[in-house]
Amino acid sequence: MSEVLKIDSLVKRYDDLSVLEKIDLTVKKGEVIVIVGPSGCGKSTLLRCINGLESIQDGKVVVDDEVVNPVQKKASKSREKIGMVFQSYDLFPHKNLLQNITLAPIKVQKRKKEEVKEEAIELLKRVGLENRTDSYPRQLSGGQKQRAAIVRALIMHPEILLLDEITAALDPEMVREVLDVVLNLAKEGHTMVIVTHEMAFAKAVADRVIFMDGGKIVEEGSPEEFFENPRTERLKRFLETFTY
């Protein structure tokens, strides 16, 4: 499989505070990487650096052989190849569901309105929201809004999808409906990097699981290796706090 994402020696600092230190990571096409770790270890910052939302102090992020986040240079247009879904949904409150989803492909990618609308409705069917096209965000549950946010990312046809704690703001009964959508995306071969605290989900969806602590990658492996035979004491202590 070809490489979609390559991170070389990525360093992120806020003034004198080191948040990410010499991160190296390669993701192949169709691979699902899940990143876990304690709060404040740099997981979400890493996703934001991949997407060019945070500047970096050293190293580089490359997607499809194009540099996305270099040091002291303008991010390239290849950022459009990266889709990102946040825990806060970020839907426009004054636009209905269909308008939220079709806005970027029409305005940014200059695609035909009817073609985009047709694809949006098809994607909404896949996540069980085909009957909510005229609904506004305030009329949707948290789970529905998060599924809509996933569709909004998918319709841009990204090479890689970044998912940042997408169930963190949801009530427990809504978590399952969102995770089922992501599991289906994995089965369809979408390339994804996922930050989550849901260990059972990580075990089910990942090709590789990465454990971060203190701004560094401490350990990684297949779900079986990672959860059944952790090599470091730090990961063992971390996993002891979960039931999965």
Side-chain angles (χ1 to χ4, degrees), residues 162-182:
L162 311 177
L163 306 174
D164 186 16
E165 296 283 14
I166 59 171
T167 60
L170 300 180
D171 293 332
E173 64 268 23
M174 295 176 183
V175 169
R176 184 78 249 168
E177 65 188 51
V178 174
L179 297 186
D180 282 344
V181 169
V182 180

PDB file of all heavy atoms in Angstrom, residues 162-182:
ATOM      1  N   LEU A 162      -9.266  12.907   9.651  1.00  0.00           N
ATOM      2  CA  LEU A 162      -8.819  13.045  11.028  1.00  0.00           C
ATOM      3  C   LEU A 162     -10.042  13.206  11.922  1.00  0.00           C
ATOM      4  O   LEU A 162     -10.873  14.069  11.675  1.00  0.00           O
ATOM      5  CB  LEU A 162      -7.904  14.265  11.177  1.00  0.00           C
ATOM      6  CG  LEU A 162      -6.753  14.407  10.171  1.00  0.00           C
ATOM      7  CD1 LEU A 162      -5.989  15.706  10.427  1.00  0.00           C
ATOM      8  CD2 LEU A 162      -5.819  13.211  10.228  1.00  0.00           C
ATOM      9  N   LEU A 163     -10.143  12.393  12.953  1.00  0.00           N
ATOM     10  CA  LEU A 163     -11.298  12.421  13.859  1.00  0.00           C
ATOM     11  C   LEU A 163     -10.788  12.691  15.275  1.00  0.00           C
ATOM     12  O   LEU A 163     -10.065  11.870  15.842  1.00  0.00           O
ATOM     13  CB  LEU A 163     -12.055  11.095  13.818  1.00  0.00           C
ATOM     14  CG  LEU A 163     -12.499  10.608  12.431  1.00  0.00           C
ATOM     15  CD1 LEU A 163     -13.099   9.215  12.515  1.00  0.00           C
ATOM     16  CD2 LEU A 163     -13.516  11.567  11.820  1.00  0.00           C
ATOM     17  N   ASP A 164     -11.180  13.829  15.834  1.00  0.00           N
ATOM     18  CA  ASP A 164     -10.646  14.247  17.128  1.00  0.00           C
ATOM     19  C   ASP A 164     -11.690  14.136  18.232  1.00  0.00           C
ATOM     20  O   ASP A 164     -12.556  15.010  18.371  1.00  0.00           O
ATOM     21  CB  ASP A 164     -10.135  15.694  17.026  1.00  0.00           C
ATOM     22  CG  ASP A 164      -9.423  16.142  18.295  1.00  0.00           C
ATOM     23  OD1 ASP A 164      -9.065  15.280  19.117  1.00  0.00           O
ATOM     24  OD2 ASP A 164      -9.228  17.360  18.463  1.00  0.00           O
ATOM     25  N   GLU A 165     -11.619  13.052  18.997  1.00  0.00           N
ATOM     26  CA  GLU A 165     -12.516  12.856  20.152  1.00  0.00           C
ATOM     27  C   GLU A 165     -13.975  13.112  19.771  1.00  0.00           C
ATOM     28  O   GLU A 165     -14.684  13.867  20.461  1.00  0.00           O
ATOM     29  CB  GLU A 165     -12.100  13.786  21.303  1.00  0.00           C
ATOM     30  CG  GLU A 165     -10.728  13.500  21.875  1.00  0.00           C
ATOM     31  CD  GLU A 165     -10.680  12.296  22.795  1.00  0.00           C
ATOM     32  OE1 GLU A 165     -11.648  11.500  22.803  1.00  0.00           O
ATOM     33  OE2 GLU A 165      -9.678  12.136  23.491  1.00  0.00           O
ATOM     34  N   ILE A 166     -14.432  12.491  18.707  1.00  0.00           N
ATOM     35  CA  ILE A 166     -15.743  12.843  18.158  1.00  0.00           C
ATOM     36  C   ILE A 166     -16.915  12.389  19.021  1.00  0.00           C
ATOM     37  O   ILE A 166     -18.044  12.802  18.774  1.00  0.00           O
ATOM     38  CB  ILE A 166     -15.919  12.309  16.728  1.00  0.00           C
ATOM     39  CG1 ILE A 166     -15.766  10.778  16.688  1.00  0.00           C
ATOM     40  CG2 ILE A 166     -14.943  12.983  15.781  1.00  0.00           C
ATOM     41  CD1 ILE A 166     -16.150  10.171  15.359  1.00  0.00           C
ATOM     42  N   THR A 167     -16.651  11.562  20.041  1.00  0.00           N
ATOM     43  CA  THR A 167     -17.747  11.157  20.929  1.00  0.00           C
ATOM     44  C   THR A 167     -17.658  11.830  22.302  1.00  0.00           C
ATOM     45  O   THR A 167     -18.504  11.604  23.154  1.00  0.00           O
ATOM     46  CB  THR A 167     -17.751   9.621  21.135  1.00  0.00           C
ATOM     47  OG1 THR A 167     -16.492   9.226  21.721  1.00  0.00           O
ATOM     48  CG2 THR A 167     -17.944   8.895  19.820  1.00  0.00           C
ATOM     49  N   ALA A 168     -16.655  12.680  22.508  1.00  0.00           N
ATOM     50  CA  ALA A 168     -16.401  13.251  23.842  1.00  0.00           C
ATOM     51  C   ALA A 168     -17.557  14.098  24.349  1.00  0.00           C
ATOM     52  O   ALA A 168     -17.823  14.156  25.549  1.00  0.00           O
ATOM     53  CB  ALA A 168     -15.115  14.065  23.829  1.00  0.00           C
ATOM     54  N   ALA A 169     -18.270  14.786  23.447  1.00  0.00           N
ATOM     55  CA  ALA A 169     -19.342  15.695  23.866  1.00  0.00           C
ATOM     56  C   ALA A 169     -20.722  15.040  23.829  1.00  0.00           C
ATOM     57  O   ALA A 169     -21.735  15.703  24.054  1.00  0.00           O
ATOM     58  CB  ALA A 169     -19.344  16.937  22.974  1.00  0.00           C
ATOM     59  N   LEU A 170     -20.765  13.728  23.577  1.00  0.00           N
ATOM     60  CA  LEU A 170     -22.047  13.053  23.392  1.00  0.00           C
ATOM     61  C   LEU A 170     -22.526  12.345  24.652  1.00  0.00           C
ATOM     62  O   LEU A 170     -21.723  11.872  25.465  1.00  0.00           O
ATOM     63  CB  LEU A 170     -21.938  12.009  22.266  1.00  0.00           C
ATOM     64  CG  LEU A 170     -21.559  12.514  20.873  1.00  0.00           C
ATOM     65  CD1 LEU A 170     -21.502  11.342  19.908  1.00  0.00           C
ATOM     66  CD2 LEU A 170     -22.540  13.565  20.384  1.00  0.00           C
ATOM     67  N   ASP A 171     -23.856  12.260  24.803  1.00  0.00           N
ATOM     68  CA  ASP A 171     -24.427  11.413  25.841  1.00  0.00           C
ATOM     69  C   ASP A 171     -24.107   9.958  25.505  1.00  0.00           C
ATOM     70  O   ASP A 171     -24.009   9.592  24.323  1.00  0.00           O
ATOM     71  CB  ASP A 171     -25.943  11.595  25.903  1.00  0.00           C
ATOM     72  CG  ASP A 171     -26.339  12.985  26.375  1.00  0.00           C
ATOM     73  OD1 ASP A 171     -25.545  13.592  27.126  1.00  0.00           O
ATOM     74  OD2 ASP A 171     -27.415  13.466  25.974  1.00  0.00           O
ATOM     75  N   PRO A 172     -23.965   9.103  26.529  1.00  0.00           N
ATOM     76  CA  PRO A 172     -23.561   7.716  26.282  1.00  0.00           C
ATOM     77  C   PRO A 172     -24.410   6.971  25.243  1.00  0.00           C
ATOM     78  O   PRO A 172     -23.876   6.207  24.441  1.00  0.00           O
ATOM     79  CB  PRO A 172     -23.699   7.069  27.671  1.00  0.00           C
ATOM     80  CG  PRO A 172     -23.464   8.193  28.613  1.00  0.00           C
ATOM     81  CD  PRO A 172     -24.063   9.401  27.960  1.00  0.00           C
ATOM     82  N   GLU A 173     -25.724   7.225  25.231  1.00  0.00           N
ATOM     83  CA  GLU A 173     -26.581   6.484  24.292  1.00  0.00           C
ATOM     84  C   GLU A 173     -26.374   6.929  22.846  1.00  0.00           C
ATOM     85  O   GLU A 173     -26.788   6.238  21.908  1.00  0.00           O
ATOM     86  CB  GLU A 173     -28.062   6.614  24.672  1.00  0.00           C
ATOM     87  CG  GLU A 173     -28.641   8.009  24.611  1.00  0.00           C
ATOM     88  CD  GLU A 173     -28.556   8.757  25.927  1.00  0.00           C
ATOM     89  OE1 GLU A 173     -27.683   8.401  26.754  1.00  0.00           O
ATOM     90  OE2 GLU A 173     -29.348   9.684  26.130  1.00  0.00           O
ATOM     91  N   MET A 174     -25.749   8.088  22.647  1.00  0.00           N
ATOM     92  CA  MET A 174     -25.503   8.570  21.282  1.00  0.00           C
ATOM     93  C   MET A 174     -24.137   8.146  20.743  1.00  0.00           C
ATOM     94  O   MET A 174     -23.883   8.249  19.542  1.00  0.00           O
ATOM     95  CB  MET A 174     -25.585  10.107  21.245  1.00  0.00           C
ATOM     96  CG  MET A 174     -26.956  10.656  21.560  1.00  0.00           C
ATOM     97  SD  MET A 174     -26.931  12.455  21.608  1.00  0.00           S
ATOM     98  CE  MET A 174     -28.639  12.794  22.076  1.00  0.00           C
ATOM     99  N   VAL A 175     -23.266   7.676  21.619  1.00  0.00           N
ATOM    100  CA  VAL A 175     -21.909   7.310  21.204  1.00  0.00           C
ATOM    101  C   VAL A 175     -21.931   6.192  20.176  1.00  0.00           C
ATOM    102  O   VAL A 175     -21.242   6.246  19.157  1.00  0.00           O
ATOM    103  CB  VAL A 175     -21.065   6.897  22.435  1.00  0.00           C
ATOM    104  CG1 VAL A 175     -19.744   6.267  22.002  1.00  0.00           C
ATOM    105  CG2 VAL A 175     -20.814   8.108  23.325  1.00  0.00           C
ATOM    106  N   ARG A 176     -22.760   5.188  20.409  1.00  0.00           N
ATOM    107  CA  ARG A 176     -22.778   4.010  19.546  1.00  0.00           C
ATOM    108  C   ARG A 176     -23.108   4.347  18.096  1.00  0.00           C
ATOM    109  O   ARG A 176     -22.486   3.833  17.170  1.00  0.00           O
ATOM    110  CB  ARG A 176     -23.799   2.994  20.084  1.00  0.00           C
ATOM    111  CG  ARG A 176     -23.857   1.675  19.346  1.00  0.00           C
ATOM    112  CD  ARG A 176     -22.712   0.791  19.742  1.00  0.00           C
ATOM    113  NE  ARG A 176     -21.763   0.614  18.652  1.00  0.00           N
ATOM    114  CZ  ARG A 176     -20.559   0.077  18.785  1.00  0.00           C
ATOM    115  NH1 ARG A 176     -20.140  -0.298  19.963  1.00  0.00           N
ATOM    116  NH2 ARG A 176     -19.780  -0.071  17.763  1.00  0.00           N
ATOM    117  N   GLU A 177     -24.087   5.234  17.895  1.00  0.00           N
ATOM    118  CA  GLU A 177     -24.514   5.549  16.523  1.00  0.00           C
ATOM    119  C   GLU A 177     -23.401   6.225  15.737  1.00  0.00           C
ATOM    120  O   GLU A 177     -23.272   6.014  14.527  1.00  0.00           O
ATOM    121  CB  GLU A 177     -25.771   6.425  16.540  1.00  0.00           C
ATOM    122  CG  GLU A 177     -25.620   7.796  17.129  1.00  0.00           C
ATOM    123  CD  GLU A 177     -26.949   8.541  17.283  1.00  0.00           C
ATOM    124  OE1 GLU A 177     -27.896   7.972  17.868  1.00  0.00           O
ATOM    125  OE2 GLU A 177     -27.022   9.683  16.822  1.00  0.00           O
ATOM    126  N   VAL A 178     -22.579   7.028  16.407  1.00  0.00           N
ATOM    127  CA  VAL A 178     -21.459   7.686  15.731  1.00  0.00           C
ATOM    128  C   VAL A 178     -20.327   6.689  15.466  1.00  0.00           C
ATOM    129  O   VAL A 178     -19.745   6.659  14.376  1.00  0.00           O
ATOM    130  CB  VAL A 178     -20.948   8.877  16.568  1.00  0.00           C
ATOM    131  CG1 VAL A 178     -19.688   9.476  15.942  1.00  0.00           C
ATOM    132  CG2 VAL A 178     -22.038   9.938  16.691  1.00  0.00           C
ATOM    133  N   LEU A 179     -20.017   5.859  16.453  1.00  0.00           N
ATOM    134  CA  LEU A 179     -18.945   4.886  16.272  1.00  0.00           C
ATOM    135  C   LEU A 179     -19.274   3.874  15.178  1.00  0.00           C
ATOM    136  O   LEU A 179     -18.387   3.433  14.446  1.00  0.00           O
ATOM    137  CB  LEU A 179     -18.661   4.163  17.599  1.00  0.00           C
ATOM    138  CG  LEU A 179     -18.149   5.045  18.738  1.00  0.00           C
ATOM    139  CD1 LEU A 179     -17.780   4.201  19.945  1.00  0.00           C
ATOM    140  CD2 LEU A 179     -16.953   5.883  18.306  1.00  0.00           C
ATOM    141  N   ASP A 180     -20.554   3.524  15.045  1.00  0.00           N
ATOM    142  CA  ASP A 180     -20.958   2.601  13.973  1.00  0.00           C
ATOM    143  C   ASP A 180     -20.669   3.193  12.593  1.00  0.00           C
ATOM    144  O   ASP A 180     -20.268   2.479  11.673  1.00  0.00           O
ATOM    145  CB  ASP A 180     -22.452   2.260  14.090  1.00  0.00           C
ATOM    146  CG  ASP A 180     -22.731   1.235  15.185  1.00  0.00           C
ATOM    147  OD1 ASP A 180     -21.772   0.572  15.630  1.00  0.00           O
ATOM    148  OD2 ASP A 180     -23.907   1.116  15.588  1.00  0.00           O
ATOM    149  N   VAL A 181     -20.885   4.507  12.445  1.00  0.00           N
ATOM    150  CA  VAL A 181     -20.578   5.176  11.173  1.00  0.00           C
ATOM    151  C   VAL A 181     -19.090   5.059  10.869  1.00  0.00           C
ATOM    152  O   VAL A 181     -18.685   4.747   9.741  1.00  0.00           O
ATOM    153  CB  VAL A 181     -21.005   6.657  11.215  1.00  0.00           C
ATOM    154  CG1 VAL A 181     -20.454   7.411  10.005  1.00  0.00           C
ATOM    155  CG2 VAL A 181     -22.525   6.769  11.249  1.00  0.00           C
ATOM    156  N   VAL A 182     -18.251   5.281  11.878  1.00  0.00           N
ATOM    157  CA  VAL A 182     -16.800   5.228  11.680  1.00  0.00           C
ATOM    158  C   VAL A 182     -16.345   3.805  11.370  1.00  0.00           C
ATOM    159  O   VAL A 182     -15.478   3.591  10.514  1.00  0.00           O
ATOM    160  CB  VAL A 182     -16.056   5.791  12.906  1.00  0.00           C
ATOM    161  CG1 VAL A 182     -14.545   5.736  12.694  1.00  0.00           C
ATOM    162  CG2 VAL A 182     -16.488   7.226  13.176  1.00  0.00           C
TER     163      VAL A 182
END
